[in-house]
Amino acid sequence: MSGEQIFYLGRRYVLKVIDAEGGLETVRLKGNRLEVVAKTRDQPKIRARVRAWYRVKGRDYIARRLKLMVPSLPWVEKEPPFRFLEMSRQWGSCTPKGEIILNPHLIKAPRQCIDYVLVHEMAHLKHHDHSSDFWAIIDTYAGEWRAAKRHLDGLVEVLLRD
Ligand SMILES: [Zn+2]
């Protein structure tokens, strides 16, 4: 466990499990480390803590990004609701009701990749397909999206573990 690589917003950290010694249990980023301060050394429990940490950080980060991005996307009236769902080979999707589903592993990817997925899924609020109209929106509002998409495709194997 300790020594494992952890990815967060495109950066690489090293997991370190620290004995809580009766103190507070917590998960925190410190320098290049993700420190899990825990009373247990049980691997499934430590993994569950890290997953929970990703979800909390992810929820917060995505909510902030949506808030910043939505005003510049004329077809989106307000931030769409979103939730996380583990998916084996997909970063996100958009339901017919307009809810955005995101792979929780997405928070491991670089920021520009996350932005691309968010614009992509929000473009589906207007076009529920991958028609040329859809890609025209992506071209206009997701600038360097090809690089971000390529980057994400290359990250699937690394980021979709655990
Ligand atoms: Zn799509």
Side-chain angles (χ1 to χ4, degrees):
M1 291 243 69
S2 266
E4 262 180 46
Q5 288 189 352
I6 294 283
F7 291 87
Y8 176 60
L9 296 179
R11 284 194 57 193
R12 194 192 308 252
Y13 297 87
V14 178
L15 179 66
K16 179 142 176 75
V17 182
I18 297 171
D19 196 335
E21 292 173 354
L24 218 56
E25 296 192 291
T26 180
V27 181
R28 64 192 177 207
L29 281 179
K30 203 171 178 187
N32 67 341
R33 298 197 308 215
L34 181 74
E35 297 184 344
V36 179
V37 184
K39 290 171 184 158
T40 177
R41 292 264 151 171
D42 181 59
Q43 287 209 10
K45 282 184 185 158
I46 301 287
R47 263 185 220 295
R49 299 267 163 81
V50 173
R51 262 201 305 276
W53 177 83
Y54 272 127
R55 297 267 178 142
V56 171
K57 299 296 273 187
R59 175 153 297 285
D60 185 58
Y61 182 78
I62 300 293
R64 273 187 288 130
R65 284 311 296 163
L66 288 176
K67 203 169 189 143
L68 275 165
M69 292 166 83
V70 161
S72 61
L73 309 176
W75 72 94
V76 188
E77 282 171 32
K78 59 178 171 57
E79 293 104 272
F82 71 93
R83 65 185 163 90
F84 291 120
L85 179 71
E86 299 266 353
M87 294 176 274
S88 58
R89 304 213 43 102
Q90 221 180 328
W91 294 108
S93 68
C94 180
T95 70
K97 281 183 172 171
E99 187 188 20
I100 299 217
I101 315 289
L102 297 169
N103 196 316
H105 297 290
L106 182 61
I107 199 66
K108 299 174 182 176
R111 292 163 196 265
Q112 64 272 25
C113 295
I114 300 175
D115 280 1
Y116 163 66
V117 172
L118 295 180
V119 174
H120 182 118
E121 299 312 334
M122 283 192 281
H124 281 317
L125 295 172
K126 191 173 172 75
H127 301 291
H128 290 279
D129 50 23
H130 293 119
S131 59
S132 52
D133 288 345
F134 169 87
W135 289 112
I137 284 194
I138 299 293
D139 272 333
T140 307
Y141 295 97
E144 302 291 307
W145 67 271
R146 282 186 178 80
K149 184 175 186 303
R150 214 177 307 121
H151 201 138
L152 270 175
D153 290 345
L155 288 173
V156 168
E157 300 301 327
V158 184
L159 298 190
L160 294 189
R161 288 185 310 213
D162 289 327

